[in-house]
Amino acid sequence: MLELLANSQKNFIHFLRISIFIVMAWIGGLKAFQYEAEGIIPFVANSPFMSFFLQKKVSDIDNYKLHKNKEGEVIPENIQWHKTNGTYVFSYALGSVICIIGILVLLGIFYPRIGVLSGILTAGMSVITLSFLITTPETWIPDLGGSQHGFPYLSGAGRLVIKDIIMLGAGLVIASDSAKSILKKE
């Protein structure tokens, strides 16, 4: 069993690439839909890396809290606010970038140089996503009177974000594997 596992490492790394592709294509593709685009606004609005992509003034940044739709909910005034804010355009662009990174990860199976690049891009994207734990108040349980709030009590949004530490590790593994392939050929 140990020999089988040890001899299968390359196949497992390819499976890791395929897994990353599936996640990136699926999540990136969902960015084209209203509910997903609106769902990323708390992260984007609070991020020093991304908030400048939105149209609202910095003093107006918390207005996203007044214009939240529940997933699947359609409130025309909120949708109009998101259109004016640039939410949907930003989400489409972000989704496209995520899908492209996913495709590059998949191509890394056949092209090690692309594999290095895609692994670094995956890791870099994950670092930005993990920064949301610091910049987005919605990632922690708020103080609503209970004793369990703030750090280390992750909200649903925080639990979604913390999983990107796995993507960070996966990106580094595929970059390393691709670099190893390039060095072996040279």
Side-chain angles (χ1 to χ4, degrees):
M1 180 64 145
L2 289 177
E3 250 182 67
L4 175 67
L5 288 171
N7 293 331
S8 299
Q9 183 177 17
K10 189 70 171 176
N11 292 330
F12 293 154
I13 291 174
H14 289 330
F15 179 71
L16 184 60
R17 286 182 172 100
I18 293 165
S19 301
I20 292 170
F21 165 74
I22 291 169
V23 170
M24 298 269 205
W26 199 332
I27 297 299
L30 286 176
K31 298 285 185 264
F33 295 93
Q34 172 212 334
Y35 84 95
E36 176 67 15
E38 293 170 5
I40 66 172
I41 286 303
F43 303 111
V44 176
N46 289 292
S47 171
F49 304 114
M50 296 181 158
S51 61
F52 64 89
F53 286 113
L54 303 177
Q55 303 301 316
K56 291 294 179 185
K57 297 175 187 152
V58 175
S59 61
D60 202 24
I61 207 82
D62 277 350
N63 267 347
Y64 73 86
K65 293 176 183 177
L66 303 173
H67 301 281
K68 280 186 173 181
N69 288 328
K70 295 176 184 160
E71 290 184 349
E73 186 175 45
V74 177
I75 299 176
E77 300 82 31
N78 291 349
I79 292 170
Q80 186 55 48
W81 183 88
H82 284 287
K83 285 180 182 177
T84 304
N85 186 46
T87 298
Y88 303 121
V89 171
F90 174 77
S91 188
Y92 303 153
L94 179 62
S96 297
V97 168
I98 292 169
C99 286
I100 289 167
I101 293 171
I103 291 167
L104 292 174
V105 167
L106 194 60
L107 289 173
I109 292 172
F110 310 104
Y111 306 101
R113 291 191 189 287
I114 292 174
V116 170
L117 173 65
S118 66
I120 291 168
L121 289 172
T122 300
M125 185 187 77
S126 300
V127 167
I128 291 170
T129 303
L130 288 167
S131 76
F132 297 154
L133 290 172
I134 298 167
T135 61
T136 308
E138 286 87 349
T139 59
W140 304 101
I141 298 294
D143 185 357
L144 300 175
S147 62
Q148 298 170 342
H149 57 85
F151 182 83
Y153 304 105
L154 293 166
S155 67
R159 293 188 301 270
L160 174 80
V161 169
I162 195 69
K163 291 185 283 186
D164 257 45
I165 199 146
I166 297 168
M167 280 292 237
L168 173 60
L172 295 173
V173 166
I174 64 172
S176 172
D177 179 67
S178 295
K180 188 175 172 182
S181 294
I182 291 168
L183 290 173
K184 191 183 283 185
K185 285 181 183 177
E186 293 175 1

